[in-house]
Amino acid sequence: MKGFFQSNIYKGTLKKICVPGLNCYSCPGALGSCPIGSMQAVIGSIKYNVSLYIVGFISLMGVIFGRFICGWLCPFGLIQDLLYKIPSHKIKVNTKVNNILKYMKYIILLVFVILLPMFLVDEFGMSPPYFCQYICPVGTLEGGIPLVLMNESLRGAIGFLFAWKIFILVTVIILSIIIYRPFCRYICPLGAFYGLFNPISFYKYKVDKNKCTSCKACVRKCNMNIEVYKKPNSTACIRCGECIKVCPTKAIKN
């Protein structure tokens, strides 16, 4: 919290350690680094093509937890949950549309987090963190806005890029009120990475076929548009546990 009062970013030893969730490096209250930001920074340097530490760390988290981290440990996930609780007309995304849009986060992971930092470099062999710089609304909310509000010199440097990031953030906030976790579902590259581990993670869901009546109560309850009784370990599942609570025969367990 000291960073908020001093209008600066903590740059101590703890910043060398990644946290498992999406956490902006530039947030005045952040003690650890964001794994996505760290991955881009290392890929875009002249010293490394890939960081074994970062990939190893988030892979370990994925193997143990899968997207449980998205559901329970990510601060921006919590913000989206709170926004969705605001009374309003809710939209359940059409299954066909959802099945197309869900691949967008994998494209973002591949293009903005890996390929662009790896190949689109300057004359010094360096590249900017493309996802953080041009897309990430988490960085805008946790880092950009607080620093601009607290630092008068930064307010004079605001330009089109900051306005663009504010537009993305406002769009995500509005969509989060009417659609359940749109950032997690369609944009977040870290969620895309963790989702790959859902089918093999230690923390997974199991459906007892002897108890399951295919009543689809879990499907109706699931805000992530998952046919839980068929695919309990879908890459989209954030392990919120709502399907377990609503199952009338207690066929779903973790």
Side-chain angles (χ1 to χ4, degrees), residues 14-29:
L14 291 176
K15 269 290 174 71
K16 297 178 182 179
I17 302 173
C18 288
V19 297
L22 208 62
N23 171 60
C24 184
Y25 179 97
S26 298
C27 176

Side-chain angles (χ1 to χ4, degrees), residues 3-43:
F4 286 102
F5 296 108
Q6 296 181 349
S7 304
N8 60 20
I9 302 171
Y10 170 73
K11 297 180 181 179
T13 305
L14 291 176
K15 269 290 174 71
K16 297 178 182 179
I17 302 173
C18 288
V19 297
L22 208 62
N23 171 60
C24 184
Y25 179 97
S26 298
C27 176
L31 297 178
S33 293
C34 171
I36 292 298
S38 299
M39 186 182 297
Q40 292 171 95
V42 173
I43 290 175

Side-chain angles (χ1 to χ4, degrees), residues 3-4 6 12 14 89 108 170 190 204 214 219 225 234 237 241 244:
F4 286 102
Q6 296 181 349
L14 291 176
H89 173 70
I108 291 174
V170 171
L190 187 58
K204 62 174 62 176
S214 301
V219 179
N225 289 41
S234 164
C237 179
I244 295 176

